[in-house]
Amino acid sequence: MADIIQLLPDHVANQIAAGEVVQRPASVVKELMENAIDAEATLVKLIIKEAGKTLIQVVDNGVGMSETDARLSFERHATSKIRQAEDLFSLNTKGFRGEALASIAAIAHVEMTTRPENRDVATQIKIEGSKVNSQEIVAAPKGTAIAVKNLFYNIPARRNFLKSNQVELRHIIDEFQRVALAHPNIAFNMYHNGAELFNLPVSNHRQRIVGIFGPKTNEKLVPVDEETDLVTITGFVGKPDFAKKSRGEQFFFVNDRFIKSPYLNHAINNAFDGLLKDKVHPSYFLYLSVNPKSIDINIHPTKTEIKFDDEHALYAILRSAVKHSLGQFNVAPVLDFDRDATMDTPYSYQEKKPSNPSISVDANFNPFAETVEKNPSVKKHTYRKADTASWESLYVGVESKSVGIPIDFNEIELESDEVTGSLFEQKTKEDQSTTYQLHNKYLVSKIKSGMLIIDQNRAHQRVLYEKLLEQMTLKGGISQQLLFPLSLDFSTADVALIASVKENLENTGFIFSKMEGDTVEITGIPFNITESQVRLIIDQLLSDFQNEVPDAIFSQVDLMAKSIAKSTAIKTGMSLSVTEQESLVNDLFACKEPTLAPDNRPAFITISMDELERKFL
């Protein structure tokens, strides 16, 4: 039998390795930015074109590399941080100049220019598909600039699996935020298609959070600070009043590396137990410092999952630290039966000094005088006796007319008790309602074969969903102008997402006058919603986009219609009049698909007479 096992060429092996390291443009951004941080850069610039499909460029002012190091960095298993296997369990860095670069160079056009501080000239290397096309000496500033162009150009199947530009940009922004939040001592800039999205100067953790998520975030943060032998915890948690439906503002950092941990997330939720409404999630930005030897960061290719030596103790410490912070800053309710709240000094009077009251007495005051003047030096007040002539005249002659005249009660006409008409006309049997509302949740209606039970929330979602789809497709949304523009604050990433679906929102009736930085200004809204619903609709829309991540244009329109319908539909617990009930039933069965809600759950069920009769057997 002939030998069938053979060694793969390096460029093929690199392409296979790239499948683990590079899943999408955001993966390249993460690797290149972490390399810049390991190079001791104080300024990192990220330049993106077409959501990273055309260009991903990271420019840093770090230590740079020599000519030999620049060439070796693109070789497989090349690293500057590991000398032996034991070093894997005591890493204090992000990644390595090598390994990731070899994988990236196998599936893209890469151009790197680097110069160390002790050299006068820089080295420029151009690589296409693991093949070095050129290496030359050029003039460049200190640091490293790596440009990755035409990602997955030689693997069309992988390129076809990429999502829309809006979705890929969202993933890139997420990676940028994670790296920027972990390193407030480094300045970061991000540009997309020539527009600046982020400009983050050197700051502290709180200022960096506010710089990314907007100035309104500052009032939401509660500091957390706890130091033990096992772990040191610093950072912030969000106040319960500002909890969101999405998990977009939940960040764990272990030794300045972003991680995902459902176990630690459960500890945070446990600390907020009893403080949050249903289906909302707390915000947190927590930084954990542990001994590198007590964790294993190599259990996941992207190093976003970490294994701890003592997870149970870490869980208890984290939960207690968050609970302590919520109680210390009077966020969590505290019961103190010995304290009399009525004796508390209001905050506005804590710094004020007590003043003696001044009392002035007018010794000449006479309440029985016709006209009395108070102290003329202060202010003139006139007191007059009440004029009783007007009401006394009402009784003049009454006594003389009534005295001595007998009253014949038979001549007194009393109002008849007989009802000549009804305020509400009595309905005939044919006019009576055919629907009945049960527990302010279901509509019960009779049909020939039995009974129909409709979920009012799901039914209204279906009606609104089909109307919105028609408006977006035909661009026939009717708008109502607002008297005053409505200004809403979002994070920069959310504003970028709203801008990407702006056209579809305008087709439903929204009118945007400004969309800059972290502010969105709205001057018109759809006619069937109120101004107070706008924030809820957009928050729900952002949450749905983050969770479902649509790619095609049709998917965006469909998701938007579902999201707006979910936000504005009649809620469970809302009482409906008979007219509203019948109108909803008629609108539901006028839909193209009345049986299902937009999320494919049943909108109604039927119970036949046979089923009812079997219940009584």
Side-chain angles (χ1 to χ4, degrees):
M1 181 177 176
D3 296 334
I4 60 174
I5 297 178
Q6 58 183 350
L7 292 175
L8 290 173
D10 284 344
H11 70 280
V12 177
N14 285 338
Q15 288 183 3
I16 295 174
E20 295 182 358
V21 178
V22 183
Q23 301 173 356
R24 59 192 341 140
S27 305
V28 177
V29 170
K30 175 181 181 295
E31 297 293 341
L32 296 184
M33 291 187 67
E34 289 183 346
N35 281 343
I37 293 170
D38 284 342
E40 302 176 4
T42 58
L43 173 63
V44 180
K45 294 182 180 180
L46 173 62
I47 302 169
I48 302 294
K49 288 186 179 179
E50 300 297 329
K53 298 175 183 177
T54 304
L55 172 68
I56 301 172
Q57 185 175 12
V58 174
V59 182
D60 68 66
N61 62 351
V63 296
M65 289 183 286
S66 66
E67 184 178 355
T68 304
D69 287 345
R71 184 64 178 266
L72 283 176
S73 66
F74 288 98
E75 298 296 328
R76 293 191 67 204
H77 307 302
T79 175
S80 61
K81 306 295 170 61
I82 295 179
R83 294 291 180 266
Q84 52 189 357
E86 287 75 13
D87 294 340
L88 289 171
F89 299 97
S90 59
L91 290 176
N92 293 301
T93 57
K94 303 294 181 187
F96 326 119
R97 277 295 187 190
E99 194 62 27
L101 290 182
S103 300
I104 294 170
I107 54 174
H109 298 163
V110 179
E111 178 180 315
M112 181 173 71
T113 304
T114 180
R115 179 177 79 84
E117 190 173 10
N118 58 356
R119 299 288 179 91
D120 296 329
V121 292
T123 303
Q124 186 179 78
I125 299 177
K126 295 182 180 179
I127 300 178
E128 293 182 7
S130 295
K131 180 183 177 181
V132 179
N133 286 349
S134 67
Q135 179 174 341
E136 55 187 1
I137 303 299
V138 297
K142 180 182 78 78
T144 304
I146 302 181
V148 179
K149 303 176 183 178
N150 306 321
L151 193 64
F152 298 125
Y153 80 100
N154 54 354
I155 312 178
R158 291 290 301 276
R159 191 173 181 88
N160 292 336
F161 274 98
L162 294 179
K163 304 297 184 181
S164 65
N165 287 353
Q166 292 84 1
V167 176
E168 295 300 339
L169 178 61
R170 179 74 195 191
H171 285 288
I172 291 174
I173 291 176
D174 287 343
E175 291 294 349
F176 177 85
Q177 289 177 348
R178 292 166 183 173
V179 176
L181 285 171
H183 301 277
N185 58 323
I186 300 175
F188 291 92
N189 293 328
M190 179 177 175
Y191 305 87
H192 181 246
N193 292 341
E196 184 180 73
L197 295 185
F198 292 95
N199 184 356
L200 306 173
V202 175
S203 59
N204 56 34
H205 285 301
R206 189 179 195 117
Q207 292 170 341
R208 180 55 55 88
I209 293 170
V210 172
I212 291 177
F213 294 99
K216 295 288 185 181
T217 312
N218 190 36
E219 61 181 299
K220 307 176 186 178
L221 301 178
V222 177
V224 178
D225 193 357
E226 189 73 31
E227 185 174 355
T228 66
D229 294 337
L230 179 64
V231 61
T232 299
I233 302 173
T234 58
F236 304 89
V237 295
K239 294 179 181 178
D241 297 343
F242 299 99
K244 294 186 174 183
K245 293 184 179 180
S246 64
R247 301 178 184 267
E249 296 182 4
Q250 295 184 340
F251 295 89
F252 277 121
F253 299 94
V254 175
N255 295 349
D256 291 336
R257 182 191 297 274
F258 172 79
I259 68 160
K260 296 178 181 178
S261 176
Y263 186 68
L264 297 183
N265 180 71
H266 188 272
I268 303 296
N269 290 332
N270 200 332
F272 276 88
D273 189 28
L275 301 177
L276 298 176
K277 300 178 182 177
D278 292 336
K279 299 181 180 180
V280 296
H281 308 282
S283 301
Y284 53 80
F285 309 86
L286 295 174
Y287 301 83
L288 284 66
S289 297
V290 299
N291 187 342
K293 295 182 179 180
S294 66
I295 59 175
D296 185 359
I297 63 174
N298 293 298
I299 63 174
H300 193 274
T302 60
K303 299 181 177 66
T304 55
E305 296 180 10
I306 291 181
K307 185 176 181 181
F308 297 91
D309 281 352
D310 193 349
E311 284 189 331
H312 297 290
L314 187 60
Y315 181 100
I317 294 172
L318 185 60
R319 180 185 61 182
S320 299
V322 174
K323 270 194 171 183
H324 175 70
S325 293
L326 294 175
Q328 182 181 8
F329 291 92
N330 295 326
V331 176
V334 179
L335 291 179
D336 186 356
F337 297 101
D338 297 328
R339 183 178 63 87
D340 187 359
T342 59
M343 301 298 292
D344 291 346
T345 303
Y347 289 109
S348 57
Y349 286 89
Q350 285 184 349
E351 302 298 330
K352 291 184 177 181
K353 296 182 178 180
S355 58
N356 294 325
S358 58
I359 303 175
S360 59
V361 179
D362 185 4
N364 298 322
F365 176 71
N366 184 1
F368 300 100
E370 290 290 336
T371 302
V372 180
E373 279 193 5
K374 293 186 73 175
N375 190 352
S377 63
V378 181
K379 194 173 181 181
K380 184 173 181 180
H381 293 274
T382 303
Y383 299 88
R384 296 183 180 277
K385 188 176 179 181
D387 188 5
T388 58
S390 57
W391 59 265
E392 288 178 351
S393 63
L394 297 175
Y395 297 92
V396 175
V398 173
E399 183 179 355
S400 59
K401 291 181 180 179
S402 58
V403 175
I405 301 177
I407 300 175
D408 188 358
F409 289 96
N410 294 326
E411 295 180 0
I412 297 177
E413 295 183 2
L414 299 176
E415 195 173 315
S416 174
D417 291 335
E418 182 182 355
V419 179
T420 58
S422 175
L423 182 61
F424 301 99
E425 295 182 0
Q426 295 292 330
K427 291 185 177 181
T428 61
K429 188 175 182 180
E430 292 77 18
D431 294 334
Q432 289 181 357
S433 172
T434 59
T435 62
Y436 173 76
Q437 189 176 24
L438 181 65
H439 296 307
N440 289 342
K441 182 176 183 180
Y442 301 105
L443 302 182
V444 182
S445 180
K446 65 178 181 180
I447 53 178
K448 291 182 179 180
S449 59
M451 182 171 58
L452 192 71
I453 303 178
I454 303 170
D455 187 305
Q456 66 184 35
N457 176 258
R458 297 182 189 178
H460 199 213
Q461 282 191 42
R462 166 53 65 176
V463 173
L464 294 176
Y465 168 71
E466 294 199 1
K467 288 182 180 179
L468 289 166
L469 269 185
E470 183 180 359
Q471 291 175 3
M472 293 181 186
T473 307
L474 302 178
K475 301 182 179 180
I478 301 174
S479 178
Q480 55 178 334
Q481 296 293 318
L482 297 176
L483 185 60
F484 299 103
L486 181 62
S487 182
L488 302 175
D489 294 318
F490 298 94
S491 66
T492 305
D494 288 340
V495 173
L497 180 57
I498 296 171
S500 67
V501 296
K502 176 183 175 184
E503 183 178 354
N504 291 327
L505 283 171
E506 288 176 340
N507 292 337
T508 65
F510 283 97
I511 299 176
F512 298 92
S513 60
K514 187 174 71 172
M515 202 173 289
E516 299 175 356
D518 54 5
T519 303
V520 174
E521 191 172 90
I522 300 173
T523 57
I525 59 177
F527 78 98
N528 55 344
I529 70 172
T530 61
E531 189 174 340
S532 60
Q533 292 178 304
V534 174
R535 180 78 198 206
L536 298 175
I537 292 173
I538 296 182
D539 283 344
Q540 182 67 53
L541 183 65
L542 293 172
S543 174
D544 291 342
F545 263 91
Q546 291 171 9
N547 294 333
E548 299 195 22
V549 192
D551 49 359
I553 295 298
F554 175 77
S555 298
Q556 287 186 7
V557 173
D558 182 72
L559 182 59
M560 287 179 60
K562 288 180 180 178
S563 181
I564 296 176
K566 187 192 306 181
S567 303
T568 57
I570 295 170
K571 300 296 186 289
T572 297
M574 183 178 294
S575 178
L576 302 178
S577 65
V578 174
T579 305
E580 291 171 335
Q581 296 172 28
E582 294 177 350
S583 176
L584 180 56
V585 173
N586 294 334
D587 289 344
L588 174 64
F589 288 99
C591 293
K592 296 178 181 178
E593 183 57 66
T595 57
L596 297 174
D599 55 2
N600 292 326
R601 294 185 296 174
F604 64 86
I605 60 171
T606 56
I607 300 178
S608 64
M609 292 300 297
D610 294 337
E611 290 179 272
L612 282 174
E613 289 175 357
R614 284 197 293 269
K615 297 291 184 182
F616 291 96
L617 292 179

